[in-house]
Amino acid sequence: MKITSQYYFFFICTFAYLLLCSSICAQEKKIDSIILLLKKNKTTFPSGDSNTVILLNTAGDEFRTIGSYDSTIIYCNEAIQLAQRINFRRGLAAAYNQVGIANEEQGKYPDALNNYFKSLKIAEEIGYLQSQAKTLGNIGLAYEDQEDYPKAQEYFFKSLKIAETLGDQNYLASLLGNIGVYYYDTENYSKALDYDRRALSIKEKLKNKREIAETFTNMALAFWDLEMVDSVLDYDLRALKIDEELGNQKDIAADLVNIGSFEMEQKDFKAAFKNDYRALAISDSIGSKDFTAGIYQVLSQLYEAADISLPDSLGGKILNMEQMRLRSLHYFKSYTSVRDTLLSEENKKEGVRKEMNYEFDKKESKQKAEQDKKDALAKEELKQKEKERNYFIAGFALVILLAGFIFRGYRQKQKANEIISSQKLLVEMKQKEILDSIHYAKRIQQSLLPNEKYIEKILGQLK
């Protein structure tokens, strides 16, 4: 049987799908390993610990990588509840950030900003600079997705200021790439390419394939707008090769759209059609509304620009030129409908409210911190005064006690002196009595015995 181009194309798509499934299976095995560790940890620590929070956040991040945003939110919400219960604030900040990323991927910008600002507030309160830098960068991305470029620039460069002091090369490289995208979106293509090259230099040293692929994509876009056409397809294909190896679905879809857009510009409408529809199928499967809107716009342009008949979908019926124009209008309406929903004024107002709430909470926290500081100083001052008073009382008591000892000693000495004086007086009296006795005896003796002259006189008479 002769193989037609349609069957050939079906074979190529099937082969590519099998490769993609293989990559996804590898990613799912990694997720299974994390969930197994999580179950063991929950068994060991049934009431929960910080490692359980970390594993829940890690599982959420891995689910986000394969585009399973609902699973990301489920696991990270569990991490939030546990982190709040055990007061693990770093884990809490990380969980809010992960939920914010999943919300942003789903085009739920107010929810994303709400979770980002919660994460940022916690990170600022505990002085967690790495988390602050990453969350500020994510806020910048959320504003950029809503085409609020002044806000995006503000938060990107706040993030960069912190990131350059931390030495986290992985994040610095990613942030430089995001700033490159910001400059691309604001049509400063040369500056976009400068930041892309700075980012690529770091990513290649780190051998971070996913980030390298992303930078190749961004550089291809800049090359296109700088009319360096020879480099465009080369860098897009480099990115696609890496992303297919890694199984990053949204990145694969982005590469396919970029390649399709290049092919459309080169008038290769059939090739562009195949790549754009492959991208749409992937985007629909992961529920990325913002990206799906972009693909609708590309398909609208394709059906408008094509000068050959194209099918209405992969493997669908061939359309005539009139039907193709109607198909173009259909995709344009689909694009504007989704875009308007995502960029609605209510969404923007809600985003502003979330930021204002964050700023209010931040101000309130600052005022509370200042009041707590004043209260602590007043308490410390009062404590110091109480301490001084206690020292004074203790000192005064010691002085009184010492005076008591001195007075007691003085009284004892005085009594001793009195005793000594009494004893001395007694001795003197005894001595006087003795002397008086002696003198008395002597007088008696003298009165009884004749004196020498009397004896001599008697002797003289006798002679």
Side-chain angles (χ1 to χ4, degrees):
M1 181 179 72
K2 183 179 178 181
I3 299 177
T4 64
S5 59
Q6 186 175 359
Y7 285 110
Y8 176 74
F9 173 65
F10 177 76
F11 171 77
I12 294 296
C13 287
T14 302
F15 180 70
Y17 176 76
L18 290 173
L19 285 175
L20 180 60
C21 287
S22 175
S23 299
I24 293 170
C25 286
Q27 195 75 26
E28 286 175 346
K29 283 182 181 178
K30 186 177 179 181
I31 291 171
D32 289 341
S33 299
I34 294 167
I35 291 173
L36 184 62
L37 282 172
L38 183 58
K39 286 179 180 176
K40 287 181 180 178
N41 206 68
K42 283 182 175 180
T43 303
T44 308
F45 303 99
S47 59
D49 69 337
S50 58
N51 284 333
T52 305
V53 176
I54 292 168
L55 286 168
L56 285 165
N57 283 333
T58 304
D61 185 43
E62 292 299 328
F63 276 115
R64 182 182 59 79
T65 301
I66 63 170
S68 185
Y69 304 124
D70 290 339
S71 296
T72 296
I73 292 169
I74 289 168
Y75 277 91
C76 291
N77 278 337
E78 186 179 344
I80 288 168
Q81 292 172 4
L82 176 57
Q84 287 174 331
R85 191 167 72 246
I86 66 174
N87 197 29
F88 180 34
R89 305 199 77 199
R90 281 198 173 199
L92 183 60
Y96 277 129
N97 197 40
Q98 287 283 4
V99 175
I101 295 171
N103 292 150
E104 187 180 348
E105 294 286 357
Q106 293 173 317
K108 299 175 181 177
Y109 300 119
D111 291 339
L113 286 169
N114 185 37
N115 284 296
Y116 287 150
F117 284 126
K118 284 181 181 178
S119 176
L120 182 60
K121 184 173 179 288
I122 295 166
E124 287 177 337
E125 287 173 353
I126 63 177
Y128 189 8
L129 289 176
Q130 190 173 35
S131 181
Q132 286 180 49
K134 290 181 178 179
T135 307
L136 286 165
N138 288 339
I139 292 169
L141 285 171
Y143 280 122
E144 185 178 14
D145 286 345
Q146 296 176 87
E147 300 177 8
D148 189 343
Y149 298 119
K151 282 284 187 185
Q153 182 185 33
E154 175 190 344
Y155 282 94
F156 280 144
F157 283 94
K158 278 183 181 179
S159 178
L160 184 61
K161 186 177 179 181
I162 298 173
E164 288 178 330
T165 67
L166 292 176
D168 183 347
Q169 295 297 297
N170 275 303
Y171 178 66
L172 181 59
S174 179
L175 179 60
L176 289 169
N178 289 337
I179 294 173
V181 173
Y182 157 76
Y183 277 118
Y184 177 83
D185 288 343
T186 53
E187 300 182 3
N188 192 338
Y189 306 121
S190 296
K191 208 154 191 176
L193 204 54
D194 289 341
Y195 275 91
D196 288 338
R197 283 173 173 149
R198 283 178 62 187
L200 184 62
S201 175
I202 299 172
K203 291 172 184 179
E204 287 181 333
K205 288 176 185 175
L206 297 172
K207 297 180 180 178
N208 188 328
K209 285 189 173 183
R210 183 179 182 183
E211 295 286 330
I212 290 170
E214 184 181 273
T215 306
F216 283 155
T217 298
N218 295 338
M219 291 177 74
L221 292 170
F223 283 133
W224 175 259
D225 287 288
L226 290 169
E227 298 183 0
M228 301 168 69
V229 181
D230 292 342
S231 300
V232 176
L233 189 59
D234 177 37
Y235 277 81
D236 276 334
L237 290 172
R238 288 190 199 184
L240 180 61
K241 182 180 178 182
I242 295 172
D243 288 329
E244 286 181 333
E245 287 174 6
L246 299 175
N248 299 327
Q249 293 188 76
K250 187 173 180 181
D251 295 337
I252 292 169
D255 296 333
L256 292 169
V257 169
N258 290 332
I259 293 169
S261 297
F262 176 81
E263 289 165 338
M264 182 171 66
E265 291 292 334
Q266 301 301 308
K267 308 295 183 184
D268 190 351
F269 299 114
K270 284 186 178 180
F273 167 82
K274 294 170 186 176
N275 286 314
D276 290 340
Y277 265 98
R278 279 186 60 198
L280 181 61
I282 294 170
S283 185
D284 283 341
S285 71
I286 62 176
S288 181
K289 291 182 181 178
D290 59 331
F291 199 75
T292 299
I295 300 174
Y296 286 156
Q297 183 182 29
V298 170
L299 284 169
S300 174
Q301 293 169 349
L302 176 63
Y303 280 110
E304 179 67 29
D307 55 8
I308 60 170
S309 294
L310 297 172
D312 61 356
S313 60
L314 285 176
K317 67 175 184 178
I318 301 297
L319 304 175
N320 59 38
M321 299 309 290
E322 180 60 28
Q323 290 171 327
M324 285 176 57
R325 300 301 171 259
L326 291 173
R327 195 71 174 163
S328 172
L329 182 60
H330 161 74
Y331 278 117
F332 181 76
K333 287 180 177 178
S334 299
Y335 157 68
T336 55
S337 175
V338 177
R339 182 202 62 185
D340 290 346
T341 301
L342 295 175
L343 303 180
S344 68
E345 283 302 314
E346 187 55 39
N347 268 3
K348 287 187 177 181
K349 286 176 184 176
E350 186 65 22
V352 170
R353 280 197 290 272
K354 301 302 182 186
E355 184 176 12
M356 287 174 67
N357 287 341
Y358 155 73
E359 293 294 345
F360 175 78
D361 289 344
K362 183 179 174 183
K363 186 177 179 181
E364 194 175 51
S365 297
K366 187 178 179 181
Q367 287 174 344
K368 186 177 182 299
E370 288 175 355
Q371 188 59 46
D372 288 346
K373 189 176 179 182
K374 287 178 183 177
D375 292 344
L377 287 172
K379 191 175 179 181
E380 188 63 32
E381 190 176 340
L382 183 62
K383 192 185 289 185
Q384 187 64 29
K385 285 181 179 178
E386 287 178 354
K387 194 183 289 184
E388 289 172 1
R389 184 194 65 191
N390 292 338
Y391 284 153
F392 174 77
I393 292 169
F396 185 71
L398 188 62
V399 168
I400 291 173
L401 188 63
L402 185 61
F405 278 121
I406 293 170
F407 181 73
R408 184 183 173 193
Y410 171 75
R411 291 291 298 157
Q412 287 176 343
K413 187 176 180 181
Q414 195 176 40
K415 285 181 181 179
N417 287 339
E418 288 175 358
I419 293 169
I420 291 168
S421 297
S422 299
Q423 289 175 344
K424 185 179 179 182
L425 182 60
L426 185 62
V427 170
E428 286 176 353
M429 289 174 66
K430 293 288 183 184
Q431 285 178 342
K432 187 174 182 300
E433 286 177 4
I434 293 169
L435 287 173
D436 288 345
S437 298
I438 292 171
H439 290 153
Y440 179 73
K442 188 176 179 181
R443 283 196 302 272
I444 293 173
Q445 185 181 14
Q446 286 176 346
S447 67
L448 293 175
L449 294 175
N451 60 26
E452 289 179 1
K453 288 184 178 181
Y454 178 77
I455 293 173
E456 286 178 359
K457 183 178 177 183
I458 293 300
L459 287 175
Q461 292 176 354
L462 288 177
K463 286 180 181 183

